[in-house]
Amino acid sequence: MATINRQNDLAIELCRLHTPGKPLVLTNVYDAATASIVANNPSTKAIATASYAVAAAQGIADEDLTLTRNLATVRSISAVLRPKDESTSEKQTDTLPRLPLTVDIQDGYDDVAATIREIIKLKAVGCNLEDFDNANRRLRPIEEAVERIQLGLQAAREAGVPDFVINARTDVLIGQHGQKGGSIDDAIERGRAYLKAGACTVFVWGGSQRGVSRAEIEALAAAFEGRLNVKLVLQEGYLTVSELQTMGVARISVGPELYRAAMKAFQEKADLVLSACG
């Protein structure tokens, strides 16, 4: 029970880091190596995974990332985050990560409560949870999405982590099956319902084509009293960390941006070496 209580302390710390105007900045990782690099940066406050990058690192599409494969990556990340026993130079399997760990569990899979129990076993204290049903390729009705947040938080309480942090993602802006996506008002309606259900923050995903504009981010931040997660785009012409701070958001993440940058550098260096082969 003592370990679980200390794990909840990490959940409390993760929640505390979500401060509107002074946001938690997450450089999302996708394996043990990237988690180790990020964790060793003194500015890092927490570790977060990105399912797209986790899947891509395994050579599969995001929608094909199974719970089993996702958990395998989380297990390796959690292990590398554990402090070493200086007397043995070995990581202690019963210790907690030295930083809060939050996991992208996509839509929570078939049983969201069971999924959250599994990542808590792996020492996570938070998750991303989508309202898009990946199995049936549809946006869940708002009542169903709210219920899944509540089920997840109940499972966390029963597992001894009552302050478990859910970052609730809505895909309502994205059109499905040729139909037009919803509006910012729809996103605000869903986001407020998710916050009322117990989510810490809301991530409004606009997709790679539509995106979310500055004016829309400002409207969302105001509607959620700052409890908004925004994805940072690592290209010129997009909003910066300092600009998003000024807009009062509580959480900034890079998603798969670092994975893509790493793969671009890998390809450039590989092509350079192989070009000498004729």
Side-chain angles (χ1 to χ4, degrees):
M1 183 59 69
T3 300
I4 289 291
N5 288 342
R6 288 190 291 111
Q7 189 169 349
N8 193 59
D9 289 342
L10 284 174
I12 293 171
E13 172 64 10
L14 179 60
C15 182
R16 186 191 65 78
L17 289 168
H18 291 78
T19 305
K22 190 179 179 182
L24 170 63
V25 178
L26 297 167
T27 47
N28 301 75
V29 304
Y30 48 90
D31 60 14
T34 53
S36 181
I37 289 169
V38 170
N40 286 328
N41 187 303
S43 295
T44 296
K45 306 299 183 186
I47 301 294
T49 69
S51 70
Y52 180 99
V54 169
Q58 298 182 44
I60 58 176
D62 192 13
E63 59 267 25
D64 294 329
L65 181 66
T66 64
L67 175 59
T68 298
R69 297 183 79 156
N70 201 350
L71 290 176
T73 297
V74 176
R75 186 174 292 106
S76 66
I77 289 172
S78 181
V80 82
L81 295 177
R82 293 181 189 131
K84 291 182 178 180
D85 184 326
E86 294 183 0
S87 64
T88 63
S89 297
E90 294 291 335
K91 294 182 181 65
Q92 303 301 297
T93 58
D94 60 342
T95 57
L96 295 167
R98 59 186 187 274
L99 293 167
L101 171 62
T102 179
V103 176
D104 186 345
I105 60 170
Q106 301 180 306
D107 66 349
Y109 303 96
D110 292 334
D111 186 336
V112 66
T115 297
I116 287 178
R117 284 194 291 268
E118 287 298 318
I119 65 169
I120 285 175
K121 288 178 185 177
L122 297 177
K123 313 305 184 186
V125 295
C127 74
N128 270 34
L129 181 62
E130 303 168 8
D131 61 5
F132 186 75
D133 181 347
N134 286 317
N136 296 299
R137 309 307 300 166
R138 67 179 179 92
L139 188 70
R140 297 182 190 276
I142 189 169
E143 298 81 8
E144 182 182 339
V146 164
E147 181 182 23
R148 288 173 69 81
I149 292 171
Q150 293 170 335
L151 287 171
L153 291 172
Q154 179 60 33
R157 286 192 291 270
E158 292 170 355
V161 187
D163 293 286
F164 188 86
V165 173
I166 290 183
N167 182 43
R169 167 175 150 171
T170 180
D171 285 16
V172 71
L173 296 183
I174 305 173
Q176 301 294 334
H177 307 297
Q179 296 184 353
K180 185 179 179 181
S183 67
I184 282 294
D185 286 340
D186 295 324
I188 288 173
E189 179 187 11
R190 282 181 173 260
R192 282 174 169 165
Y194 300 165
L195 292 169
K196 186 177 180 181
C200 175
T201 44
V202 174
F203 174 34
V204 178
W205 174 233
S208 57
Q209 299 300 317
R210 183 196 186 284
V212 182
S213 70
R214 175 191 289 266
E216 289 172 335
I217 291 172
E218 290 173 341
L220 291 165
F224 302 156
E225 298 180 331
R227 293 179 292 171
L228 178 68
N229 175 201
V230 177
K231 178 184 172 295
L232 192 71
V233 179
L234 302 181
Q235 298 177 32
E236 288 194 18
Y238 288 87
L239 292 168
T240 64
V241 169
S242 60
E243 287 173 322
L244 290 169
Q245 286 176 332
T246 301
M247 294 163 75
V249 309
R251 176 170 170 149
I252 300 170
S253 53
V254 301
E257 294 278 323
L258 293 179
Y259 168 80
R260 289 173 176 148
M263 292 303 101
K264 181 180 179 182
F266 182 95
Q267 181 172 355
E268 289 173 351
K269 294 298 184 183
D271 288 347
L272 181 64
V273 172
L274 293 171
S275 66
C277 299

